[in-house]
Amino acid sequence: MTASTIACCAPIAREPLGETEAAELAVLLKAVADPVRLRLLSMIGSHAGGEACVCDLTDAFDLTAPTISHHLKVLRTAGLIDSERRGTWVYYWIVPETVNRLGALFAPLAEPAAI
Amino acid sequence: MTASTIACCAPIAREPLGETEAAELAVLLKAVADPVRLRLLSMIGSHAGGEACVCDLTDAFDLTAPTISHHLKVLRTAGLIDSERRGTWVYYWIVPETVNRLGALFAPLAEPAAI
């Protein structure tokens, strides 16, 4: 009873998702379902000041600049990050509203009571 | 200051993810990055008693039984659901530990202070 009461608060376990919402969320999840994009997202989000220059991101990967740019574009198109050019460099930051939508979908779920 | 203090608590924005963790999480995210699998997960989680018979799941979709079975298998292989045969039917339930891992990754992120 306690477990199901708490579990009720996680949208994924509260009621069946509609087709439209499921389709939108799947697009968002596909954007993050990649190791490089997850790492880029965490590097951007954890960077001092909450934003990172593309010049801060490339060194951690054994990938070409166009490949990194492609992954950043996927994250940006999904609305997970936004960017702005300032002089030579493009700066990226996380869009919390979009990331929060994923967090709200999956949490919190209680541990189940003994079954 | 307040925003970044709160944002620190979302693992995705707290520190760069390591390669191994990012690879594991990407596998998990790929499993849920599909509209049918998201709907199946929410139907199982929200079903009375926290578990659903495969017979409860098929009617909502215009898909064949083998296709539904394939999607259930992807969720099960990823550790997002577990199942047990009882008599004629197979019953499925959510594994909260795995779903919580996704919730913890993306939440909570604060709304940004005015930029």
Side-chain angles (χ1 to χ4, degrees):
Chain A
M1 177 66 186
T2 307
S4 40
T5 306
I6 300 172
C8 82
C9 303
I12 197 76
R14 194 167 49 201
E15 58 185 345
L17 285 172
E19 281 189 60
T20 308
E21 192 176 7
E24 283 175 18
L25 289 165
V27 169
L28 213 52
L29 288 164
K30 275 186 183 122
V32 290
D34 176 278
V36 173
R37 293 200 288 275
L38 277 174
R39 289 177 64 202
L40 283 170
L41 201 58
S42 70
M43 289 168 76
I44 293 167
S46 65
H47 202 266
E51 61 175 35
C53 167
V54 69
C55 60
D56 299 318
L57 302 171
T58 45
D59 286 353
F61 300 93
D62 190 17
L63 297 168
T64 64
T67 301
I68 299 285
S69 290
H70 160 75
H71 285 301
L72 288 168
K73 191 178 173 188
V74 173
L75 290 172
R76 193 170 183 277
T77 303
L80 287 154
I81 60 173
D82 204 352
S83 67
E84 184 180 70
R85 176 175 288 279
R86 289 183 214 138
T88 312
W89 299 109
V90 178
Y91 290 79
Y92 294 88
W93 58 90
I94 278 185
V95 177
E97 296 84 341
T98 315
V99 176
N100 285 349
R101 197 171 169 197
L102 294 179
L105 179 66
F106 293 113
L109 270 176
E111 302 289 315
I115 291 172
Chain B
M1 179 60 186
T2 307
S4 42
T5 305
I6 301 173
C8 81
C9 303
I12 198 77
R14 194 168 51 203
E15 58 185 346
L17 285 171
E19 280 189 61
T20 307
E21 192 176 8
E24 283 175 17
L25 289 165
V27 169
L28 212 52
L29 288 163
K30 276 187 183 121
V32 290
D34 177 277
V36 173
R37 293 200 288 274
L38 278 174
R39 289 177 64 204
L40 283 170
L41 201 58
S42 69
M43 288 168 75
I44 293 167
S46 64
H47 202 266
E51 61 176 34
C53 166
V54 69
C55 60
D56 299 318
L57 303 172
T58 44
D59 286 354
F61 299 94
D62 190 18
L63 297 168
T64 64
T67 300
I68 299 285
S69 291
H70 160 74
H71 286 300
L72 288 168
K73 190 178 174 186
V74 173
L75 290 173
R76 192 169 183 277
T77 302
L80 288 154
I81 59 172
D82 204 352
S83 66
E84 183 180 70
R85 175 175 289 280
R86 289 182 214 137
T88 311
W89 300 107
V90 179
Y91 290 80
Y92 295 89
W93 58 90
I94 278 184
V95 178
E97 297 84 342
T98 315
V99 175
N100 287 349
R101 196 170 171 197
L102 295 179
L105 179 66
F106 293 113
L109 270 175
E111 302 290 315
I115 292 171

